[in-house]
Coordinates of all heavy atoms in Angstrom, one line a residue:
E436 N 101.7 115.8 103.4 CA 100.6 116.5 104.1 C 99.6 117.0 103.0 O 100.0 117.8 102.2 CB 101.1 117.7 104.9 CG 100.0 118.3 105.7 CD 100.5 119.5 106.5 OE1 101.3 120.3 106.0 OE2 100.1 119.6 107.7
A572 N 107.7 124.4 102.3 CA 108.6 123.5 103.2 C 107.6 122.7 104.0 O 106.4 123.0 104.2 CB 109.4 124.4 104.1
E574 N 107.3 120.1 107.6 CA 107.9 119.8 108.9 C 108.2 118.3 109.1 O 108.0 117.8 110.2 CB 107.1 120.3 110.0 CG 105.7 119.8 110.2 CD 104.6 120.5 109.4 OE1 104.9 121.1 108.3 OE2 103.4 120.4 109.8
H592 N 110.1 128.0 111.9 CA 108.8 127.5 111.8 C 108.7 126.0 111.8 O 108.0 125.4 112.5 CB 108.1 128.1 110.5 CG 106.7 127.7 110.2 ND1 105.7 128.5 110.4 CD2 106.2 126.5 109.8 CE1 104.5 127.9 110.1 NE2 104.9 126.7 109.7
E593 N 109.5 125.4 110.9 CA 109.5 123.9 110.7 C 110.0 123.2 112.0 O 109.5 122.2 112.3 CB 110.2 123.5 109.5 CG 109.9 124.1 108.2 CD 108.4 124.2 107.9 OE1 107.6 123.3 108.4 OE2 107.9 125.1 107.1
H596 N 107.3 123.1 114.6 CA 106.3 122.1 114.4 C 106.7 120.8 115.1 O 105.9 119.9 115.3 CB 106.2 121.8 112.9 CG 105.3 122.6 112.1 ND1 103.9 122.8 112.6 CD2 105.4 123.3 111.0 CE1 103.3 123.6 111.7 NE2 104.2 123.9 110.7
N614 N 98.6 123.2 114.6 CA 100.0 123.1 114.1 C 100.5 124.5 113.6 O 101.5 125.0 114.1 CB 100.0 122.2 112.8 CG 99.7 120.8 113.0 OD1 99.3 120.4 114.1 ND2 99.8 120.0 112.0
E615 N 99.7 125.1 112.7 CA 100.2 126.3 112.0 C 100.1 127.6 112.8 O 101.1 128.4 112.7 CB 99.5 126.4 110.6 CG 99.5 125.2 109.7 CD 101.0 124.8 109.4 OE1 101.9 125.6 109.7 OE2 101.1 123.7 108.9
A618 N 103.2 127.2 115.1 CA 104.5 127.4 114.4 C 104.7 128.8 114.0 O 105.8 129.3 114.0 CB 104.6 126.4 113.2
T619 N 103.6 129.5 113.6 CA 103.7 130.9 113.2 C 104.0 131.7 114.4 O 104.9 132.6 114.4 CB 102.4 131.3 112.5 OG1 102.2 130.5 111.4 CG2 102.5 132.8 112.1
Y676 N 97.2 130.0 109.7 CA 98.5 130.4 110.2 C 98.4 131.7 111.0 O 98.8 131.7 112.1 CB 99.5 130.7 109.0 CG 99.9 129.4 108.3 CD1 99.0 128.7 107.5 CD2 101.2 129.0 108.3 CE1 99.5 127.6 106.8 CE2 101.7 127.9 107.7 CZ 100.8 127.1 106.9 OH 101.2 126.0 106.2
Ligands
ZN206 ZN1 103.7 125.1 109.2

Side-chain angles (χ1 to χ4, degrees):
E436 187 180 41
E574 64 269 25
H592 179 106
E593 306 310 336
H596 273 308
N614 292 9
E615 302 305 346
T619 302
Y676 287 70

